[in-house]
């Protein structure tokens, strides 16, 4: 693995986060595990872009008897399924061991999002930062609200009059109607 150019490298224990996030638990119970995985990925795409992180979401080979694989979703987000019999915890531990020296050379942070207590102690031992599932949920939701507010204020007209929010062609036609032209 080569060090990412973003300021931080975020490893996410996918099923641990799904199991800790009420919204995703409800989705999993109603529509299945695949729907919850897809929703987690969608939520982390925006969060990753906003934070400027390189993110890997790691899922156990749960319910799959196939070799591990990785799928690049965006330039800064990828999804990794572990090999059959390998846990997300062991994948994350190996990644921490591999990345810690490379990231330190480039002064980049390594963050692991999980609420697994044993995993927390292990990753801290590798020099990585730990983020609880609860904290990740809060940050993702805060970021989502912040982006929506920013987009909403950008889309609002600076003037309180409806006329100001119309495109130039519509304004021209209304002016012509008002002055009896055409």
């Amino acid at each position: 693995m080569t060090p990412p150019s973003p300021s931080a490298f975020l490893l996410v224990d996918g099923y641990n986060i799904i199991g800790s996030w009420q919204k995703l638990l409800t989705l999993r119970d109603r529509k299945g595990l695949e729907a919850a995985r897809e929703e987690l990925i969608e939520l982390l795409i925006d969060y990753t872009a906003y934070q400027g992180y390189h993110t890997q979401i790691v899922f156990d080979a749960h319910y799959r008897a196939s070799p591990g694989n990785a799928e690049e979703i965006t330039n800064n987000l990828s999804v990794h399924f572990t090999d059959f019999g390998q846990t997300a915890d062991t994948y994350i531990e190996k990644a921490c061991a591999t990345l810690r020296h490379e990231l330190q050379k480039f002064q980049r942070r390594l963050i692991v999002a999980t609420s697994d207590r044993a995993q927390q102690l292990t990753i801290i031992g590798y020099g990585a930062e730990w983020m609880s599932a609860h904290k990740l949920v809060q940050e993702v939701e805060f970021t989502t609200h912040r982006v929506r507010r920013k987009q909403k204020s950008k889309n609002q007209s600076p003037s309180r009059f409806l006329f100001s929010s119309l495109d130039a062609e519509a304004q021209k036609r209304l002016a012509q109607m008002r002055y009896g032209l055409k």
Side-chain angles (χ1 to χ4, degrees), residues 43 77 131 140 161 178 180:
L43 291 165
L77 185 125
M131 180 187 295
V140 169
F161 297 108
R178 183 174 52 217

Side-chain angles (χ1 to χ4, degrees), residues 1-55:
M1 291 181 188
T2 60
S5 57
S7 63
F9 195 97
L10 175 65
L11 288 165
V12 177
D13 185 342
Y15 291 129
N16 184 276
I17 301 301
I18 289 172
S20 301
W21 196 336
Q22 190 57 50
K23 173 183 179 176
L24 297 178
L25 270 175
T26 302
L27 183 61
R28 181 199 68 191
D29 293 345
R30 281 194 282 133
K31 295 189 177 180
L33 197 52
E34 181 66 27
R37 276 195 304 258
E38 288 174 9
E39 181 67 14
L40 175 61
I41 292 165
E42 286 298 316
L43 291 165
L44 289 179
I45 287 172
D46 293 336
Y47 175 73
T48 293
Y50 188 82
Q51 294 296 336
Y53 291 165
H54 179 85
T55 302

Side-chain angles (χ1 to χ4, degrees), residues 28 33 35 54 56 58-60 74 81 106-107 126 154:
R28 181 199 68 191
L33 197 52
H54 179 85
Q56 286 185 359
V58 183
F59 293 106
D60 296 311
T74 69
F81 286 95
F106 297 100
Q107 298 179 335
Y126 281 115
K154 196 166 98 174

